[in-house]
């Protein structure tokens, strides 16, 4: 079946116990194990699957199964946030292991590797550009994984997933891909050779800026067991109500992402023609570096773009005057968000380092929402002029 159908029909579309069409919220911490002890064979099928909600909860399971199916993986694991999912996946490694990543991964992932995991002696190398050559050059005897994100944040740099995964696999590494910006609707890294996909489900999967959540999907049962062991041991699990919200959001993923993507394309085009805009970063623009590669490995450019105004004053004026874009962090919600990386996601990076990475005071990142595209263009032009 096509993904549009799988968004709705994923094996959990009706509740086995009642026939409810909505995903029931099993707001419980524990489960009656009486039948275990009676041993008279009277337990209904599936009754003994759950014992304690950290180990498993049917509402969480419905979400985990749905995302695993969409990504084409063996199993899904839902966490209390995107960084909890990433931290738990990195938790399958041990002190002394080494991970290769990119300089422009999500700020929270950068912080995890540079502060938290550093204290636990997980080593890493951040590459300026991830390519088979740079990956091969960074491999050490203790290297265990490659961790990438494409398009990257906030400059939408494109990494070749297939080639990077192949280079990693040759050396026996596993590849982890953060697929938050694309969602499985537009990009399926496991099909391109990745081993684990992670998501901040806070963004497009949830889609309504009302829940914090993270998901990891593993390609094999063996890796799934390792991630599950961390999920169950470390315990950063997603609660039943939040699992329900994300599962509910996913049902409309296709209509949301397609509409938001069409709007992002129109915004990118309109912005690139405004006199106060210096550059627009969007994989859907023909001039964007890596646009062809992106088109070859993803089904669309997505709904996130960035642009640079000519002066910092113009960037400030835009953020102060736009009436439709909320100046805020995050992305992927139904409302358009304008974030200002130097003051928000990348504020912790020293200015000189930010300049080197191209993250200047003129840079604004837009996540297109579900407002009318013409209204957004009119609002953006007014705010920019
Ligand atoms: C937001 C985000 C995360 C972190 O997710 P949280 O849900 O905020 O913890 C990780 N990766 C990317 C690409 C993100 O945008």
């Amino acid at each position: 079946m096509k993904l549009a159908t799988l968004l709705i029909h994923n094996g959990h579309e009706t509740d086995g116990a009642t026939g409810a069409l909505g995903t029931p919220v099993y707001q419980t911490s524990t489960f009656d194990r009486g039948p275990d002890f009676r041993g008279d064979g009277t337990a209904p099928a599936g009754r003994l699957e759950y014992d304690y909600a950290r180990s498993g909860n049917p509402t969480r399971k419905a979400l985990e199964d749905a995302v695993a199916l969409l990504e084409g993986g063996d199993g899904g694991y839902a966490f209390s946030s995107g960084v909890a999912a990433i931290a738990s996946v990195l938790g399958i490694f041990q002190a002394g292991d080494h991970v290769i990543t990119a300089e422009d991964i999500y700020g929270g992932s950068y912080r995890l590797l540079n502060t938290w995991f550093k204290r636990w002696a997980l080593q890493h190398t951040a590459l300026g550009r991830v390519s088979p050559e740079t990956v091969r050059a960074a491999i050490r005897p203790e290297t265990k994984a490659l961790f990438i994100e494409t398009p990257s944040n906030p400059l939408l740099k494109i990494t070749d997933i297939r080639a990077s995964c192949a280079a990693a696999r040759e050396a026996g590494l596993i590849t982890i891909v953060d697929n938050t910006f694309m969602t499985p609707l537009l990009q399926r890294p496991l099909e391109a050779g990745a081993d684990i996909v992670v998501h901040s489900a806070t963004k497009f999967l949830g889609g309504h800026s009302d829940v914090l959540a993270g998901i990891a999907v593993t390609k094999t049962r063996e890796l799934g067991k390792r991630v599950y062991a961390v999920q169950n041991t470390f315990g950063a699990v997603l609660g039943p109500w939040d699992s329900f919200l994300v599962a509910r959001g996913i049902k409309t993923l296709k209509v949301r992402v397609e509409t938001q993507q069409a709007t992002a394309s129109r915004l990118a085009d309109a912005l690139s023609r405004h006199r106060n805009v210096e550059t627009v970063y969007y994989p859907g623009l023909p001039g964007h570096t890596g646009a062809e590669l992106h088109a070859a490995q993803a089904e669309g450019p997505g709904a996130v773009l960035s642009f640079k105004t000519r002066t910092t004053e113009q960037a400030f004026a835009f953020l102060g005057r736009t009436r439709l874009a909320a100046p805020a962090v995050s992305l992927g919600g139904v409302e358009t968000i304008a974030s200002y990386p130097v003051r928000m996601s990348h504020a912790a990076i020293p200015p000189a380092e930010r300049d080197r990475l191209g993250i200047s005071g003129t840079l604004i990142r837009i996540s297109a929402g579900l407002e009318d595209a013409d209204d957004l263009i009119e609002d953006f032009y007014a705010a920019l002029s």
Side-chain angles (χ1 to χ4, degrees):
M1 284 185 279
K2 303 271 196 300
L3 284 179
T5 309
L6 296 179
L7 289 172
I8 311 300
H9 297 275
N10 51 36
H12 290 279
E13 59 268 46
T14 46
D15 175 39
T18 64
L21 274 192
T23 310
V25 182
Y26 284 91
Q27 193 72 44
T28 184
S29 61
T30 192
F31 299 82
D32 175 7
R33 303 289 300 189
D36 268 0
F37 300 96
R38 288 196 288 277
D40 57 1
T42 55
R47 172 72 193 277
L48 297 178
E49 193 178 341
Y50 300 100
D51 57 4
Y52 188 60
R54 173 161 31 75
S55 311
N57 174 289
T59 314
R60 192 175 95 211
K61 182 83 162 65
L63 169 65
E64 293 173 332
D65 288 353
V67 182
L69 187 68
L70 294 169
E71 288 286 5
D74 173 72
Y77 306 88
F79 298 90
S80 53
S81 69
V83 292
I86 294 164
S88 299
V89 164
L90 293 173
I92 70 175
F93 303 115
Q94 59 186 32
D97 285 351
H98 174 247
V99 174
I100 301 170
T101 183
E103 275 176 350
D104 55 354
I105 50 170
Y106 174 73
S109 306
Y110 179 88
R111 185 169 55 198
L112 266 176
L113 285 164
N114 278 288
T115 61
W116 177 261
F117 279 108
K118 203 171 187 172
R119 287 201 268 131
W120 301 94
L122 179 67
Q123 315 171 68
H124 82 283
T125 300
L127 302 174
R129 221 184 84 72
V130 176
S131 69
E133 295 72 37
T134 59
V135 168
R136 278 187 208 110
I139 292 173
R140 306 179 195 164
E142 61 275 24
T143 307
K144 292 289 177 346
L146 170 68
F147 176 28
I148 58 175
E149 192 179 314
T150 179
S152 74
N153 180 22
L155 295 175
L156 293 302
K157 288 189 202 154
I158 308 302
T159 298
D160 188 330
I161 303 176
R162 199 171 288 279
S164 312
C165 290
R169 184 163 302 246
E170 258 169 38
L173 320 185
I174 66 163
T175 304
I176 303 159
V177 179
D178 185 331
N179 204 27
T180 300
F181 272 38
M182 286 288 102
T183 83
L185 206 65
L186 300 178
Q187 182 168 279
R188 281 172 302 285
L190 298 183
E191 289 171 7
D195 302 285
I196 301 180
V197 165
V198 290
H199 280 280
S200 169
T202 311
K203 316 295 168 52
F204 288 101
L205 296 180
H208 294 73
S209 309
D210 55 8
V211 61
L212 203 65
I215 297 185
V217 175
T218 57
K219 185 167 185 150
T220 64
R221 179 65 46 96
E222 190 268 327
L223 274 174
K225 280 186 181 153
R226 291 168 69 188
V227 172
Y228 176 75
V230 181
Q231 185 191 41
N232 191 36
T233 305
F234 197 64
V237 296
L238 192 64
W241 175 249
D242 290 349
S243 297
F244 164 78
L245 283 174
V246 179
R248 184 187 206 262
I250 285 175
K251 293 179 186 177
T252 55
L253 185 67
K254 186 174 195 290
V255 285
R256 283 187 289 107
V257 166
E258 285 180 357
T259 306
Q260 288 167 280
Q261 174 172 263
T263 299
S265 298
R266 288 204 47 210
L267 287 172
D269 178 58
L271 285 167
S272 64
R273 284 185 282 103
H274 195 284
R275 68 180 188 284
N276 291 345
V277 172
E278 190 190 87
T279 326
V280 177
Y281 301 88
Y282 184 57
L285 287 177
H288 185 79
T289 310
E292 279 179 30
L293 171 59
H294 182 79
Q297 67 185 9
E299 271 152 58
V304 179
L305 63 132
S306 294
F307 68 97
K308 278 182 181 165
T309 52
R310 296 196 187 277
T311 67
T312 306
E313 290 70 28
Q314 287 165 350
F316 259 75
F318 175 83
L319 292 164
R321 289 180 191 162
T322 170
R323 294 193 306 152
L324 294 182
V329 290
S330 203
L331 56 107
V334 294
E335 50 289 282
T336 294
I337 285 177
S339 53
Y340 191 53
V342 296
R343 286 264 184 106
M344 298 174 179
S345 51
H346 295 67
I349 302 177
E353 177 66 2
R354 273 202 310 252
D355 287 348
R356 193 180 66 76
L357 296 173
I359 300 164
S360 64
T362 57
L363 181 70
I364 292 171
R365 191 191 72 198
I366 301 292
S367 170
L370 287 177
E371 300 90 343
D372 182 88
D374 289 325
D375 285 346
L376 285 170
I377 292 170
E378 196 183 312
D379 176 65
F380 280 23
Y381 266 49
L384 272 171
S385 303

